[in-house]
Amino acid sequence: MMKYNLSDIARIVGGNLAGCDLEVTAVATDSRSYAMTGDTLFVAMQGVNHDAHNHISEVQERGVKAFMVEHAVSLGEGCGAVIVNNSLVALQALATHHRKQFGGKVVAITGSNGKTTVKEWIAQCAPRDAKIFRSPRSYNSQLGVALSLLMLDNTYNVAIIEAGISQKGEMERLRNIIAPDMVIFTSIGDAHAQGFASLEEKISEKIALAKTANTIIYHSAYSTLAEAIKAKYSDRTLIDANFALAPKMADHASQCNAEIVATFFAEMGYTAPDFSQLQPVAMRLEVKQGVENSVIIDDSYSADLNSLSIALDNLRSVASHRKTMLILSDILQSGNDVYTEVARMVREAGIDNFVGIGATLSQHRTLFNSNSIFFASTEEAMANISQLDVADHAILIKGNRASRMERLSHRLEQHSHTTVLEVDLQAMARNINYFRSKIGSTTQLIAMVKASGYGAGEVEVAQMLQKQGIAYLAVAFADEGVALREGGITMPIVVLNADDASFDTMIAHSLEPEIYSFRSLSSFVQAVDHADKINYPIHLKIDSGMHRLGFMEEDVEALNQALAHSAQSVRVASIFTHLCVADDTTQDDFSKEQISKFDRISSAIMASLPYRPLRHAAASEAMLRFEEARFDMCRLGIGLYGFSTTASEALEAVSTLRTRIVQIRTLHEGNTVGYGRNGKIERESRIATIPVGYADGLNRHLGNGAWEMLVGGQRAKTIGNICMDSCMIDITDIEGVEEGDIVEIFSAKRGNTAEDMARVLGTIPYEVLTSVAKRVKRIYINE
């Protein structure tokens, strides 16, 4: 555990101490984190769209007294602060110093893919006496690496630190902080490649991590990476994992990862890893809909103090208006005070209901609230699951791999459908940041979550958007807005298809209407007056050329008079329009004409108002292509979900529709597959049946070889017609496929995205995403 006085920190990082010289033993950088006490150092950082210095007063109210800040702030009695030029740089300097105090071996892992998998496989297979620390999940960024190293203490023999980069110069900074004794390179590929001019430049940046390392483990299957390592570091101990003994894995990447793990074990002198004990790697927290209006956060394969702290923060974020429940297994960490610390964390997090599972945890029941429930094993918990009142709870399930607590997660899930739509909320956040980097910090964003968040799910996506500081949400109908309010969303919500019948409901739930005609304006003013409201926000739609809805230029004078007449009832929050061909470069003249017309109309309206409403015209494509269309705010729609004609290489698809093979059979030449006998077998073939069909949103036109799904990363064509609840794929040319293996129907991988599927169908990604049926379970993954 880190332990420093603020005066020590000031000396280490080159800062100035203001106020009291306090001792700190932990670091927090998010003002929303529950895990902050009197001995926490809160590090305030400034970003493009946030400034943590604005939250220092509320952090002080929660008992925090020690701060690292970039300028002088108001400090309460007994508080102290280290003032630095750049908080991130200073935190990295502190982490660099702390790493130097570590007496064990530091191992860094990097690569395009497989970093977290290799790290977690090492931890799963390591001998109990190895005492390995590993950085939590994907804590591999400039901030994450620093936070990981500050968790280190000398009760560990080995520290495994994951290092990830997205642009030039970052790896050199990480290398200076980590100072690894050994480096493991997993793979090289196009993941996060947009920050590099070429693959060669990316490799050069990656291998800089090993500049001072004595030992380097790599895999010659990635030949370009291997040759670069051998050319640069011929004077080091280089170990090619290609010759390690490992069992046959399901796919090439997993095989390479297993051989890298086996090589690491041999180099460390450990007994050979037992890969039969591997459990699924919890790359990210999974959020699922549970029974009785509950939400399940599934973290079934990881139970240690560091990851528990992170998961509890996530629970607080997801819970919103719900009560919270933690279901926790024994923690397999040494130390007499482990469960004392767990009990403290549970209290500090304000957990409403605690469930402990395991013999050791049960022995420490007196540390926890008297209404906590304990079971000696997962089996006992499963048998008595009816004792748990899970209704309207956010439930974090967290267990060590031996406890197999995923069984509890499955029992509490609302849907048991094998097919799931996996939504990567972190990829969505990175898409937001990409658009923000293009439009600048002064332009706000309104995010489109209509049609159930383009199929991704409205409440869960909205919670992430609210956390990201998006200015507005937009839905199509009032019912969608009501669902968001009932889900605990408090930010402004615009209803785009507002009609008279929904006005009372909208006002009751603080939803803001799009007003597009004199009739809708008059009707809404009446509804506002009836509800005894004043200055209710509305959003004026201007028809600048799309000719769907909106006020025309000739309506401006009459509109200004109507607004003046109703000035006590409603206030114009924004004026906006819709560009109809912003993605078509051949019609840019028409788009520019629309933008000019909107500017003229909206300016005339604003001139008549005693205040200045926001203006917005640009959606995802237009905000990238037409700077003049950005005005005060832009609407982020399909770009949020990872699709763009202009920026396809920079964005990440956020949704993966996947299922599992339920049966495999071998069919001989002359047989047919499916309804209508359209699937002709022309050679001996292995045919897999998967439980997804047109009732799940899989278009029937994708049958008979029109679409290819991914099995173990390899392509398998559909064969025969798509059925209502199932379809068949040809896996003949894919080795080692077994029943139960995962099939990606569409994914984030290029060539297999929803956009690629839309291209095959002659439609747009919107239709593919919004067609995924409600009966398909949604899973939300977060770092």
Side-chain angles (χ1 to χ4, degrees), residues 169-300:
E170 290 184 335
M171 190 60 88
E172 185 68 20
R173 292 194 293 273
L174 292 184
R175 182 199 64 76
N176 290 332
I177 303 169
I178 302 169
D181 303 300
M182 177 190 294
V183 174
I184 297 173
F185 292 97
T186 57
S187 66
I188 196 70
D190 60 3
H192 309 294
Q194 59 267 27
F196 305 98
S198 64
L199 180 63
E200 289 72 23
E201 181 178 84
K202 184 178 181 181
I203 290 173
S204 178
E205 288 289 315
K206 288 276 187 184
I207 66 176
L209 181 61
K211 186 176 181 180
T212 57
N214 299 316
T215 305
I216 300 170
I217 295 175
Y218 65 95
H219 202 297
S220 56
Y222 305 101
S223 56
T224 308
L225 175 63
E227 291 305 315
I229 292 170
K230 288 188 287 186
K232 188 174 182 63
Y233 298 118
S234 58
D235 58 334
R236 313 295 172 80
T237 300
L238 304 181
I239 308 173
D240 184 355
N242 195 35
F243 305 102
L245 295 177
K248 184 172 178 57
M249 307 299 281
D251 56 75
H252 175 72
S254 296
Q255 187 69 46
C256 292
N257 290 340
E259 290 166 1
I260 289 170
V261 172
T263 302
F264 172 78
F265 272 52
E267 177 63 19
M268 295 296 295
Y270 299 156
T271 55
D274 181 3
F275 290 103
S276 67
Q277 301 301 311
L278 288 180
Q279 300 288 337
V281 174
M283 299 285 192
R284 304 152 179 167
L285 297 176
E286 292 188 347
V287 182
K288 312 171 184 178
Q289 292 300 317
V291 298
E292 300 184 61
N293 195 37
S294 64
V295 173
I296 311 297
I297 305 175
D298 189 352
D299 198 13
S300 303

Side-chain angles (χ1 to χ4, degrees), residues 49-126:
N49 297 285
H50 73 277
D51 186 350
H53 294 79
N54 297 330
H55 302 284
I56 284 179
S57 59
E58 63 191 68
V59 173
Q60 289 187 70
E61 290 175 3
R62 295 174 56 192
V64 177
K65 295 181 177 296
F67 301 89
M68 180 182 287
V69 295
E70 296 180 354
H71 54 73
V73 295
S74 177
L75 295 174
E77 184 178 352
C79 293
V82 177
I83 304 174
V84 298
N85 291 328
N86 184 297
S87 292
L88 175 59
V89 172
L91 189 64
Q92 289 174 332
L94 180 61
T96 302
H97 172 85
H98 191 69
R99 181 265 178 266
K100 291 177 181 177
Q101 315 313 307
F102 180 60
K105 176 172 285 191
V106 175
V107 180
I109 297 181
T110 193
S112 296
N113 293 292
K115 298 184 293 294
T116 304
T117 297
V118 168
K119 181 185 67 180
E120 294 299 318
W121 282 6
I122 289 173
Q124 288 185 23
C125 297

Side-chain angles (χ1 to χ4, degrees), residues 699-715:
N699 195 295
R700 291 186 74 247
H701 293 93
L702 297 171
N704 299 303
W707 181 245
E708 295 177 334
M709 303 180 189
L710 298 181
V711 182
Q714 298 186 61
R715 298 184 177 280

Side-chain angles (χ1 to χ4, degrees), residues 36 122 145 157 249 262 284 366 400 432 509 584 613 674 704 772:
M36 291 192 291
I122 289 173
V145 166
N157 296 327
M249 307 299 281
R284 304 152 179 167
T366 57
N400 63 66
I432 292 171
H509 291 86
D584 186 349
N704 299 303
V772 178

Side-chain angles (χ1 to χ4, degrees), residues 9-26:
I9 294 174
R11 174 179 51 79
I12 293 166
V13 305
N16 296 310
L17 175 63
C20 298
D21 187 11
L22 306 172
E23 182 180 83
V24 294
T25 61

Side-chain angles (χ1 to χ4, degrees), residues 442-446 472 539-540 542 572-577 595-607 609 612-618 628-635:
T442 59
T443 305
Q444 299 185 62
L445 284 174
I446 178 169
Y472 281 89
H539 301 264
L540 296 180
I542 303 302
V572 180
S574 81
I575 308 172
F576 71 106
T577 193
I595 296 166
S596 178
K597 179 180 287 188
F598 170 69
D599 188 17
R600 188 168 61 248
I601 296 172
S602 58
S603 295
I605 296 171
M606 290 196 308
L609 298 172
R612 190 184 188 284
L614 298 171
R615 293 192 292 174
H616 50 107
E628 66 271 28
R630 293 172 187 165
F631 293 100
D632 306 298
M633 188 160 62
C634 295
R635 298 187 300 275

